[in-house]
Amino acid sequence: MAEFDSRGTFQKAANEYAKIQDAFPDVICEPLLADMAVKEGDRILDLPCGTGDSIVKAMQIAGPSGHALAIDISASMIEEAKEKAEAAGVKNVDFVVEDMDKAQFDTAAYDIVVSANGPFFAADLKTFLAKMWDAVKPGGKLVTMTLGRNFLTPISGIFLDRAQIRTEDLRISTPWNITEDIAYFREVLEEVTRGQRINIIHRDAVMDYQTADGGWNLLMGTAFRNYTLAMSPEHQAEIEAEMKEWMQANRQFSATCSFNNITVVKDNV
């Protein structure tokens, strides 16, 4: 199997991803906003911004004197984000479809630079974090969120087992593995930020999806959709039916996700 297809995966996953954000605001959006601690007039850079849940709420706090640049590789994600901003009456966000590895930003231009579950998609983690850090103003902050060692446990493991059975030579490649090792992530951040104080909070979130349909939609709103892209329509239908049957038979209607929330404040100079 080829390397992880971010654009193709999240083009197809945008609708389910948006539903996850709406159904579980306490999993990503609310903790992220707490770490950001947005103030009126803040300038914010968000990449990848996904369907815009966090940045739209952040700009409601920042008000008309604030401004945000929000970037995502998926046009579908950006369209969802624009719709949410319009519905919320938020006009001071520039949404851009772009590869976050190729995007360029002004140095020391933002009060907050944020990336939720995005750093592991970077072609080079250190280069990406350094670029984000350079965009932070003195006195501003870098806010990131990464997945821990549990990602939709236990349904993720059941899904991957069935995916390998159905797809010849399927290579399981989970890009978030590079950042789930929090000691390694801290080491890279310390090098990039030149030893500034790094605050890390680990948490486990239980996501109650309530039905087998809800569990399947949860899987398909995440990076696991990547594996269905290599399947025939028949195999996709088979694995969906099997997963729903397994969840129903085992009364398994919740999954655990681990997260690491990281903030670094840049010293005033």
Side-chain angles (χ1 to χ4, degrees):
M1 181 179 178
E3 62 184 56
F4 192 91
D5 179 7
S6 296
R7 188 186 301 272
T9 298
F10 290 107
Q11 276 288 95
K12 294 181 179 296
N15 186 256
E16 286 84 357
Y17 183 84
K19 290 177 181 176
I20 291 171
Q21 300 301 307
D22 292 340
F24 302 103
D26 58 321
V27 172
I28 296 176
C29 187
E30 291 174 1
L32 197 67
L33 287 170
D35 287 344
M36 291 168 70
V38 179
K39 303 182 300 299
E40 186 174 352
D42 274 348
R43 290 177 57 83
I44 303 173
L45 171 63
D46 183 6
L47 69 164
C49 67
T51 52
D53 300 81
S54 300
I55 198 61
V56 169
K57 289 182 173 62
M59 295 318 294
Q60 287 177 309
I61 300 169
S65 60
H67 185 267
L69 173 60
I71 293 172
D72 202 280
I73 197 172
S74 166
S76 295
M77 291 281 194
I78 289 293
E79 283 306 309
E80 290 271 0
K82 286 181 177 179
E83 290 175 8
K84 288 187 176 181
E86 184 176 357
V90 170
K91 303 181 185 298
N92 50 347
V93 183
D94 292 331
F95 290 104
V96 178
V97 178
E98 190 171 8
D99 186 332
M100 67 185 192
D101 284 319
K102 298 176 182 177
Q104 297 297 317
F105 323 110
D106 292 335
T107 300
Y110 297 93
D111 300 286
I112 303 168
V113 177
V114 60
S115 184
N117 295 331
F120 46 73
F121 287 121
D124 183 275
L125 179 62
K126 181 180 176 182
T127 299
F128 176 68
L129 291 175
K131 182 167 67 172
M132 293 180 68
W133 183 244
D134 285 344
V136 179
K137 290 179 178 179
K141 65 171 67 173
L142 173 65
V143 178
T144 65
M145 179 183 295
T146 67
L147 292 168
R149 298 189 186 280
N150 290 317
F151 183 33
L152 299 184
T153 305
I155 59 173
S156 56
I158 304 299
F159 171 80
L160 290 175
D161 285 346
R162 282 159 171 72
Q164 284 196 303
I165 290 171
R166 283 182 168 75
T167 308
E168 185 177 355
D169 298 326
L170 178 63
R171 179 171 58 86
I172 299 300
S173 173
T174 49
W176 52 90
N177 285 350
I178 193 172
T179 57
E180 72 179 16
D181 183 345
I182 201 59
Y184 168 73
F185 194 70
R186 180 193 287 274
E187 181 181 322
V188 176
L189 263 181
E190 285 177 343
E191 185 175 354
V192 165
T193 64
R194 293 173 286 280
Q196 296 205 59
R197 183 175 180 274
I198 297 168
N199 183 54
I200 300 176
I201 297 175
H202 175 85
R203 59 191 174 86
D204 291 315
V206 177
M207 305 172 75
D208 294 313
Y209 48 80
Q210 300 181 346
T211 66
D213 284 339
W216 177 253
N217 291 336
L218 182 59
L219 282 167
M220 292 300 99
T222 71
F224 285 123
R225 181 180 279 270
N226 184 60
Y227 300 110
T228 67
L229 301 182
M231 296 180 189
S232 67
E234 293 77 15
H235 283 167
Q236 288 183 35
E238 286 176 4
I239 196 171
E240 178 179 355
E242 281 193 12
M243 286 300 303
K244 289 179 179 178
E245 181 180 354
W246 182 89
M247 285 183 271
Q248 194 67 47
N250 289 278
R251 308 298 297 169
Q252 186 65 54
F253 300 127
S254 67
T256 298
C257 267
S258 297
F259 296 93
N260 298 304
N261 286 59
I262 304 111
T263 57
V264 192
V265 177
K266 182 175 282 190
D267 289 341
N268 279 299
V269 293

